[in-house]
Each structure stands twice: as C-alpha cells, then as structure tokens.
Amino acid sequence: MEKLFLGCDHAGFALKEVILRTLAELQWPYQDLGCDCAEVSVHYPDYAQRVVRAILAHPGSRGILICGTGLGMSIAANRFAGIRAALCQELYTARMSRLHNDANLLVMGGRIVGSGLAREIVRVWLTTPFEGGRHQERLNLIDPKMPEGH
Ligand code: RB5
C-alpha cells in the first residue's frame, strides 16, 4: 500500500471527506494536505502543487485531487514532469488509467461525481496494477528523463 497524498479546493472538500472515510475503512495510509473547509474559497493550483511536490518527494507514492470539475486540478498537476494525473469520473477510465497510464494522481470533480461512485472509483484506482510492457515504453516517451519509481 503506497502512501497517498490528498488535496482539494473548497469545491472538492465535501467529496474529499467522503474519500478520507473510505481510505480509513480500507486502512490505506494517507496524508491530507488540505484545504480544510468548504466555506472559504481557495485557489486550486496551490493544493495541486502541494500534492504534486509530496508525490515527487516520495517515489512510489500516489495522490488524489478534487476540485469542482476536476479540470483545474488535472491541468495544474500535469504541468510537472513525473506526474500522470488522470481525470476519472467513471470506473472504466479509473481502471485504464492504472493499467495503461500508470496514473499516479487520481482527479475527480466534487460537483460531478456522487459519493457512491467516487468511493468505487477510488477503490478500483487504488487496487488496479500497471500492466507495464509496451505501456511503459509509451510513458518513457512522455517523461524521458524520469528515474525508476516515478
Ligand atoms: C471553483 O469554483 C472551481 O472553479 C474549481 O473547483 C474547479 O472546478 C476548477 O477547475
């Protein structure tokens, strides 16, 4: 169970609370990097960058980011080499993002995905392995200089 870092903005806070409960049930180790409430409007790039920095500092770790749509968080996170942020709002892409893309960041929209579906997406995303092989060759074309484990 690799460590998981979580972040959200105000629009993703309620869904992050649901996901934290799911992780506790699964006994999955995590660190919540904020934000801490839905009432104060914050800037999603700040939280995307917190989680990205934590992932890059802990090889093999992964993360979950939640904003209103998932778009801002995924755009912000994917600007960093070594980050493969996948915006998954249903189960098929959640599964494929692990099998083919070795996604190390799951992004969801708190205003898009209901809590039941989000819990399933997280469970599938956490437990689906990367297939490697030809998919690793393709990832190497995205981040040619990244060391093993990122
Ligand atoms: C905040 O209102 C909203 O813009 C943000 O959560 C996100 O959806 C941006 O992409």
Side-chain angles (χ1 to χ4, degrees):
M1 284 183 175
E2 55 290 269
K3 186 160 181 180
L4 206 56
F5 296 99
L6 284 97
C8 68
D9 70 357
H10 53 287
F13 179 78
L15 188 59
K16 188 184 72 179
E17 291 286 280
V18 170
I19 300 308
L20 294 183
R21 287 198 293 276
T22 306
L23 295 175
E25 285 164 22
L26 293 171
Q27 296 187 305
W28 201 284
Y30 69 82
Q31 188 175 344
D32 179 10
L33 299 177
C35 71
D36 301 318
C37 73
E39 289 72 34
V40 179
S41 183
V42 296
H43 302 313
Y44 61 81
D46 293 338
Y47 293 89
Q49 288 165 16
R50 279 190 196 186
V51 169
V52 161
R53 289 201 181 95
I55 292 171
L56 294 177
H58 297 84
S61 66
R62 289 195 261 166
I64 298 178
L65 283 169
I66 308 171
C67 61
T69 59
L71 290 168
M73 286 293 198
S74 49
I75 291 167
N78 275 318
R79 296 185 74 92
F80 292 82
I83 293 297
R84 295 174 300 279
L87 175 55
C88 302
Q89 320 265 28
E90 35 68 38
L91 291 167
Y92 183 72
T93 47
R95 185 161 164 273
M96 296 310 288
S97 78
R98 292 290 310 136
L99 287 174
H100 286 193
N101 309 111
D102 196 20
N104 54 7
L105 242 172
L106 168 65
V107 189
M108 291 182 290
R111 293 171 176 163
I112 309 284
V113 188
S115 57
L117 177 57
R119 286 164 59 93
E120 275 303 291
I121 288 172
V122 168
R123 196 184 58 74
V124 165
W125 190 79
L126 286 175
T127 55
T128 303
F130 177 46
E131 276 182 357
R134 69 187 187 281
H135 304 296
Q136 182 62 59
E137 285 177 46
R138 292 162 187 166
L139 296 186
N140 294 344
L141 295 171
I142 298 173
D143 277 325
K145 291 186 190 135
M146 291 309 294
E148 283 280 307
H150 269 298

